[in-house]
Amino acid sequence: MPFRVRSLIYMVPQIIRSLRAPSITVRFPFAPAVIPEGYRGVVKVHAELCRGCSLCVRDCPAAALELHRENRETYRLIYHPERCAYCGQCELSCNFGAIYQVNEISRSTLHLSELETVLVDRKPEEEDSEG
Amino acid sequence: MELVKDVTEMRARVLATFAEAFPGQDFETREIPTDDVVITLPAGNVVAAVGALSEKLGMTHLTTITGDDMGDEIRLLYHMWHGCGLTLEVKLPLTDPRIATLTEQIPGATMYEREISDMFGVVFDGHPDLSRLLLPDSWDGPPPMLKSSDGAKEDQV
Amino acid sequence: MTKTTVPIGPQHPLLKEPMSFQLGLEGERVAESAMRIGYVHRGIERLCQERSYVQNIYLLERVCGICSHVHATTYSRAVEALMGVEVPPRGVYLRALMCEFERIHSHLLWLGVIARNIGFDTIFNYAWRDREIVLDIMEDLSGGRVSHAANTLGGSRFDLTDEHRDKILEQLQIMDAQIQLLLGAVEHERTLRERTRGIGKLTLEQIHRYCVVGPVARASGLDIDLRRDRHEAPYDRLEFAVPVHTDGDVWARTLVRVQEAVESVSLCRQILNSLPEGPVTTRVPRRVPAGEAISRSEAPRGEVIYYVRSDGSDKPARVKVRTPTLTALVTLSEQLADVQMADVSVVLSGVDLCIACADR
């Protein structure tokens, strides 16, 4: 078979496939983004489970988590999405199942400081009410 | 190309080759995971050892050269592979480290030697072109992988 | 004849990553060439000494954007050997599964790049469209398209359910058909053959001299593949062929890579069908005993080696990475000698350079 004819023949199924395929592009801010279920997105926390052990802070490869501890009962866990590598090591390191990732992307901003999120803000009263 | 089957065979064959090439010398050997034999050589013997290995055993594949600052000396590890790994270990002094180049036997060593000369300041005698490989031309600090160096400064990044 | 010097790079549309060439031209032919790398040197080896073993997994994954998983796997294997930990079989299989997906993805990406550089945009579009299938599978499995973070010390971070496996097998069916189409195109298209035949030739003797590894070596007739030659799990229980060609030109490299991708699809299927039951990870000690370990694997571009030395603390004392691109870079001056200026792009993309890998 002459070579040009053959290339045309094997292109036919490709053309049909491309014509039938739906558009993959999403008009993002106006339509919801399509993010797969297992996507490793922003870090969230079940604040009530956090014990402030700082295992996640120690293992974070990008220094995106900070623990400010005043004493045993008072501490704040701060998350910096702009530094986050979205690797999920914090979720793996946490022994209490407190920290986890969801399939969301962090919002855009004009000022980096706005991104800073306080994940846990633990004060002594709260500890008392739990205990 | 006939590959060596395991570490024990590799050690026996290499030591037999070295016994022939360097009569009367003893070599310290150790096995490290995952499958590698490390043989310690005096710095002057590397070129002859590599020559003997390629002639007797057909080992011509040099995987890479690792430099390692041990604190009191610089260690060079010549990693080879021929069915299983063989590493030739050489120790150099921290001040004015020098060793003969391998590029005549193995032209593929050019890049590895340049990298080590960049990162550890080791001089490879007889190397055709020891110019900068990874560091910028404007780098004027000490070799950055040495323990005595504190890495790049803010304005060098 | 007067010589003209043509600089290519550090920033150049032909190069996907920054590196610099000075080509000395006599008329249309390249008479001499000089090369400079180091524009993306990030000091990863030094950074590794300042981070803990766990943090280094994610750092080393960023050595390369294409073969990220194989770097993390090879490093993890070295550290596990130091700890004396054995990864459960299911974890080993899942790691290998990811490596094979990565190989398909890497080879298709490369096929697209070379097709684009010779002006064959149809193959470029097909190859990159079909690569998307693999990327989707990988994103589904691990949660990331490029940085998979699928490894942890002691095993794999993701697991598969049966429904998930059936879904991947279905996607692999489509992949198989598409990749056969690409293989047919590569074998029969005159355009591709005429632009790549006889260009960038490397003889077997040169391959030995420069210690070249991977598809470039296999295209010159060196029958070496660490997956087969190291007899390690799980490849010792899987059936696959190692494509070897003897021409040593860019055309042979194209064939080797596409055929390897075909083999990898079959390997993925075999791994999915023979996945052992059990846990995917095992517990590892927090501290790593003093010692040293070397681990090697076959990355998409060839042999990658990690040397890890531990002094008993929680940070490695030395991590050495050697990536396969560094071996191919040395041969470029010989490959470029006496080629037409218009073929320089074919030679450069033919060896599948990954400058970020070489610079680290």
Side-chain angles (χ1 to χ4, degrees):
Chain A
M1 201 186 295
F3 130 92
R4 270 176 206 291
V5 179
R6 185 164 53 196
S7 3
L8 281 180
I9 290 175
Y10 75 60
M11 277 193 75
V12 171
Q14 300 302 312
I15 295 169
I16 296 174
R17 194 188 141 194
S18 299
L19 286 175
R20 282 173 53 188
S23 166
I24 294 176
T25 320
V26 179
R27 286 171 52 79
F28 170 53
F30 311 107
V34 185
I35 302 176
E37 204 179 311
Y39 181 79
R40 299 191 316 269
V42 289
V43 172
K44 302 244 160 126
V45 89
H46 297 296
E48 70 283 1
L49 292 176
C50 180
R51 309 275 175 93
C53 64
S54 86
L55 275 177
C56 51
V57 179
R58 189 186 60 185
D59 280 347
C60 179
L65 293 167
E66 264 174 43
L67 189 78
H68 294 284
R69 182 188 284 281
E70 271 159 47
N71 53 46
R72 225 180 91 79
E73 282 94 38
T74 318
Y75 54 85
R76 282 150 60 89
L77 183 65
I78 296 170
Y79 170 53
H80 299 274
E82 78 275 17
R83 293 188 210 153
C84 184
Y86 301 98
C87 64
Q89 177 62 39
C90 44
E91 187 177 341
L92 205 67
S93 294
C94 187
N95 285 337
F96 310 105
I99 198 160
Y100 63 101
Q101 278 186 301
V102 290
N103 62 341
E104 283 169 25
I105 46 178
S106 58
R107 64 209 149 84
S108 54
T109 177
L110 289 173
H111 300 285
L112 279 182
S113 54
E114 281 175 17
L115 284 175
E116 193 181 289
T117 321
V118 178
L119 291 180
V120 180
D121 192 0
R122 182 66 60 89
K123 297 202 176 63
E125 310 87 79
E126 215 178 311
E127 191 92 330
D128 289 341
S129 66
E130 262 177 35
Chain B
M1 194 175 59
E2 191 205 338
L3 296 177
V4 180
K5 264 193 235 66
D6 58 14
V7 189
T8 334
E9 193 192 337
M10 174 66 96
R11 185 205 294 249
R13 283 171 77 167
V14 172
L15 283 182
T17 313
F18 282 180
E20 216 172 286
F22 313 106
Q25 281 191 39
D26 265 347
F27 297 101
E28 197 188 306
T29 67
R30 61 178 193 273
E31 279 177 28
I32 62 172
T34 51
D35 54 345
D36 237 273
V37 191
V38 183
I39 301 182
T40 313
L41 293 173
N45 280 357
V46 172
V47 176
V50 169
L53 286 175
S54 77
E55 206 173 288
K56 296 273 154 55
L57 300 180
M59 287 180 64
T60 52
H61 184 76
L62 177 74
T63 308
T64 190
I65 310 173
T66 301
D68 196 349
D69 182 1
M70 303 293 286
D72 48 357
E73 62 198 0
I74 293 179
R75 223 165 59 162
L76 293 189
L77 299 167
Y78 291 75
H79 304 289
M80 304 179 89
W81 191 84
H82 196 70
C84 76
L86 168 71
T87 299
L88 306 176
E89 184 189 59
V90 172
K91 287 165 182 161
L92 300 177
L94 263 181
T95 47
D96 191 27
R98 278 182 174 276
I99 192 166
T101 177
L102 261 187
T103 43
E104 257 165 55
Q105 276 79 16
I106 303 178
T110 323
M111 290 290 198
Y112 313 139
E113 291 189 351
R114 276 174 71 184
E115 186 186 327
I116 289 180
S117 126
D118 258 19
M119 295 297 170
F120 292 91
V122 177
V123 178
F124 289 89
D125 290 319
H127 192 287
D129 170 30
L130 267 187
S131 57
R132 288 270 153 82
L133 179 72
L134 297 179
L135 292 182
D137 292 324
S138 58
W139 177 270
D140 55 357
M145 282 295 281
L146 289 179
K147 290 256 159 69
S148 54
S149 146
D150 47 5
K153 286 177 222 61
E154 203 64 7
D155 60 328
Q156 282 167 323
V157 181
Chain C
M1 194 185 275
T2 49
K3 215 175 269 178
T4 325
T5 307
V6 177
I8 298 187
Q11 309 294 335
H12 194 275
L14 173 66
L15 303 160
K16 305 289 172 264
E17 287 170 276
M19 71 182 298
S20 142
F21 281 97
Q22 300 284 334
L23 301 177
L25 295 186
E26 272 174 5
E28 273 289 295
R29 302 205 159 263
V30 178
E32 58 184 34
S33 59
M35 178 193 64
R36 180 80 169 87
I37 59 169
Y39 297 96
V40 274
H41 176 61
R42 292 148 288 166
I44 285 189
E45 287 179 12
R46 174 89 193 201
L47 278 173
C48 279
Q49 300 176 8
E50 289 158 19
R51 274 142 212 268
S52 70
Y53 285 94
V54 174
Q55 289 174 331
N56 278 340
I57 302 176
Y58 305 105
L59 175 63
L60 289 166
E61 211 171 44
R62 283 157 178 81
V63 167
C64 176
I66 299 168
C67 42
S68 56
H69 180 74
V70 80
H71 279 277
T73 307
T74 317
Y75 165 76
S76 306
R77 275 222 297 264
V79 179
E80 281 150 12
L82 276 174
M83 292 169 164
V85 166
E86 200 158 316
V87 179
R90 194 176 171 92
V92 173
Y93 269 67
L94 288 177
R95 276 182 179 178
L97 177 69
M98 207 63 166
C99 281
E100 291 312 316
F101 279 135
E102 204 169 68
R103 198 179 313 275
I104 304 171
H105 142 60
S106 168
H107 286 343
L108 286 185
L109 179 127
W110 173 83
L111 181 65
V113 169
I114 187 143
R116 173 124 202 151
N117 278 352
I118 64 172
F120 197 164
D121 274 3
T122 316
I123 297 262
F124 162 72
N125 282 318
Y126 282 6
W128 281 41
R129 180 191 65 188
D130 299 337
R131 169 177 158 263
E132 211 61 26
I133 302 175
V134 188
L135 285 178
D136 281 349
I137 297 177
M138 288 200 285
E139 187 176 26
D140 229 20
L141 281 178
S142 67
R145 258 167 72 92
V146 174
S147 299
H148 310 300
N151 262 310
T152 182
L153 298 178
S156 155
R157 269 183 56 181
F158 66 95
D159 202 355
L160 274 178
T161 57
D162 281 353
E163 301 92 74
H164 211 144
R165 192 184 63 193
D166 295 341
K167 198 176 137 203
I168 296 176
L169 281 171
E170 237 167 71
Q171 280 168 303
L172 276 179
Q173 206 100 46
I174 307 171
M175 189 71 227
D176 210 13
Q178 294 301 328
I179 216 162
Q180 289 295 344
L181 173 110
L182 287 172
L183 182 63
V186 167
E187 277 172 348
H188 300 297
E189 271 297 343
R190 209 173 54 192
T191 333
L192 198 75
R193 193 166 51 213
E194 283 179 4
R195 273 308 298 276
T196 54
R197 254 221 165 122
I199 291 169
K201 250 189 178 331
L202 282 180
T203 60
L204 186 57
E205 200 255 324
Q206 281 170 317
I207 294 285
H208 278 302
R209 263 158 47 92
Y210 291 112
C211 311
V212 184
V213 292
V216 180
R218 288 194 282 276
S220 294
L222 182 63
D223 188 6
I224 187 168
D225 188 319
L226 290 183
R227 292 177 293 167
R228 181 195 60 195
D229 297 336
R230 290 196 74 215
H231 311 287
E232 57 181 20
Y235 294 107
D236 51 352
R237 269 171 260 153
L238 305 173
E239 269 177 44
F240 63 102
V242 178
V244 176
H245 288 264
T246 48
D247 293 349
D249 51 6
V250 179
W251 159 247
R253 286 171 211 155
T254 317
L255 275 181
V256 165
R257 290 204 175 95
V258 180
Q259 285 169 356
E260 241 174 60
V262 174
E263 289 298 323
S264 286
V265 174
S266 130
L267 272 173
C268 287
R269 201 172 284 144
Q270 289 178 47
I271 292 175
L272 284 169
N273 285 330
S274 61
L275 208 55
E277 292 298 319
V280 291
T281 48
T282 180
R283 276 197 81 80
V284 293
R286 193 73 217 181
R287 290 209 169 258
V288 179
E292 45 191 347
I294 292 170
S295 132
R296 292 178 166 86
S297 341
E298 185 78 16
R301 294 183 179 80
E303 173 192 26
V304 54
I305 174 174
Y306 270 75
Y307 167 82
V308 180
R309 181 168 67 86
S310 156
D311 54 4
S313 68
D314 59 343
K315 290 170 184 164
R318 176 84 172 99
V319 177
K320 163 81 185 176
V321 193
R322 201 281 271 139
T323 54
T325 301
L326 211 54
T327 64
L329 278 175
V330 199
T331 64
L332 273 182
S333 63
E334 296 213 3
Q335 289 188 51
L336 281 173
D338 214 34
V339 301
Q340 293 270 354
M341 182 60 197
D343 290 335
V344 168
S345 67
V346 182
V347 173
L348 290 189
S349 46
V351 290
D352 198 2
L353 294 176
C354 176
I355 309 305
C357 273
D359 283 0
R360 298 182 301 278

